[in-house]
Amino acid sequence: MRVAIAGAGAVGRSIAGELLENGHEVLLVDKAPTAISVERVPQAEWLLADACEITSLDEAALQRCNVVIAATGDDKVNLVVSLLAKTEYGVPRVVARVNNPKNEWLFNESWGVDVAVSTPRLMSALVEEAVSVGDLVRLLRFSHGDANLVELTLPEESALAGTQVGDVEWPEDTSLVTIIRGTRVLTPTREDSLEAGDELLFVAAQAREEQLEDLLSVRKEDTSG
């Protein structure tokens, strides 16, 4: 897979390193000469250019990229790069970094963004995830389909503890994608049972989040007399 990353700062270089380790082809683009540090990511291609200019993107052969990541520290730049990548070059997948949470509402499909990653929001979500049991935590927003990646740790008193995945009537427009149980990562099947303490990851429509949280957090009936 060929990936172009606009922004060769610490974030862009870190992403590039991870992708290269996974066997992908990576191009780093930055207009600042001081950001061109080939020795830091020697396996990557480097291009000194302004990623907001068509001529630069032509030179980068963006039409050959499977993914473009707009990872600069400037939200305006990231939006322009995303829009050009999607509309001018038809890049299948565009991921954009959101620096200021107030601008998050702009990072959607109208600007060519498939996935918006807000570092402040993600950090706060991870804090919530670490301390919350029974509460739905939004980890990531997908622009297409108005869907989110959400997490909930199944509480001890949940009525669904001990229930098989296939027996649960999940809300529409939701999909259970992963069960994290201790150190294990499980791809759920219909026969898998849910256990208290499981971290459940869903892709869910935003309109269904409250319904999903209610379903997972409903308490067992007290049968003691």
Side-chain angles (χ1 to χ4, degrees):
M1 181 171 69
R2 179 175 171 80
V3 182
I5 302 174
V11 173
R13 294 195 306 270
S14 178
I15 296 169
E18 292 285 339
L19 291 171
L20 287 163
E21 284 185 12
N22 291 327
H24 300 297
E25 180 184 348
V26 176
L27 168 67
L28 280 160
V29 182
D30 205 296
K31 68 177 181 179
T34 54
I36 305 299
S37 304
V38 178
E39 68 281 358
R40 294 191 178 184
V41 194
Q43 305 96 326
E45 297 177 50
W46 289 79
L47 178 62
L48 175 62
D50 187 344
C52 290
E53 295 183 357
I54 290 289
T55 53
S56 300
L57 299 180
D58 285 344
E59 187 177 354
L62 224 63
Q63 70 279 2
R64 295 199 294 110
C65 292
N66 306 99
V67 180
V68 164
I69 302 173
T72 78
D74 188 325
D75 285 345
K76 297 187 295 295
V77 171
N78 291 343
L79 286 170
V80 171
V81 171
S82 298
L83 184 62
L84 291 174
K86 184 66 70 174
T87 59
E88 297 295 325
Y89 298 91
V91 176
R93 194 74 166 166
V94 177
V95 179
R97 171 188 177 187
V98 184
N99 296 278
N100 186 340
K102 292 181 180 179
N103 296 330
E104 191 172 3
W105 66 277
L106 289 165
F107 285 73
N108 55 39
E109 60 183 348
S110 65
W111 277 94
V113 178
D114 295 306
V115 180
V117 181
S118 171
T119 303
R121 180 179 293 277
L122 182 57
M123 291 181 69
S124 64
L126 290 173
V127 170
E128 290 181 51
E129 187 272 334
V131 299
S132 301
V133 175
D135 295 326
L136 202 70
V137 178
R138 187 180 300 168
L139 299 177
L140 190 66
R141 178 176 63 84
F142 300 100
S143 298
H144 290 304
D146 194 28
N148 300 310
L149 178 66
V150 298
E151 183 271 352
L152 184 140
T153 300
L154 198 66
E156 290 280 350
E157 66 274 15
S158 173
L160 293 186
T163 305
Q164 288 188 334
V165 171
D167 292 336
V168 181
E169 292 187 16
W170 302 108
E172 293 183 6
D173 303 321
T174 66
S175 177
L176 175 62
V177 292
T178 303
I179 300 173
I180 301 175
R181 181 173 297 157
T183 59
R184 300 175 62 201
V185 178
L186 308 175
T187 301
T189 67
R190 291 182 56 84
E191 291 73 30
D192 284 322
S193 293
L194 302 174
E195 297 182 6
D198 283 349
E199 292 183 51
L200 308 176
L201 272 68
F202 294 86
V203 173
Q206 187 168 333
R208 303 294 182 183
E209 289 181 5
E210 185 175 351
Q211 185 180 353
L212 180 62
E213 183 174 25
D214 290 344
L215 172 67
L216 293 166
S217 300
V218 64
R219 295 177 179 270
K220 296 175 181 176
E221 294 183 8
D222 186 357
T223 55
S224 61

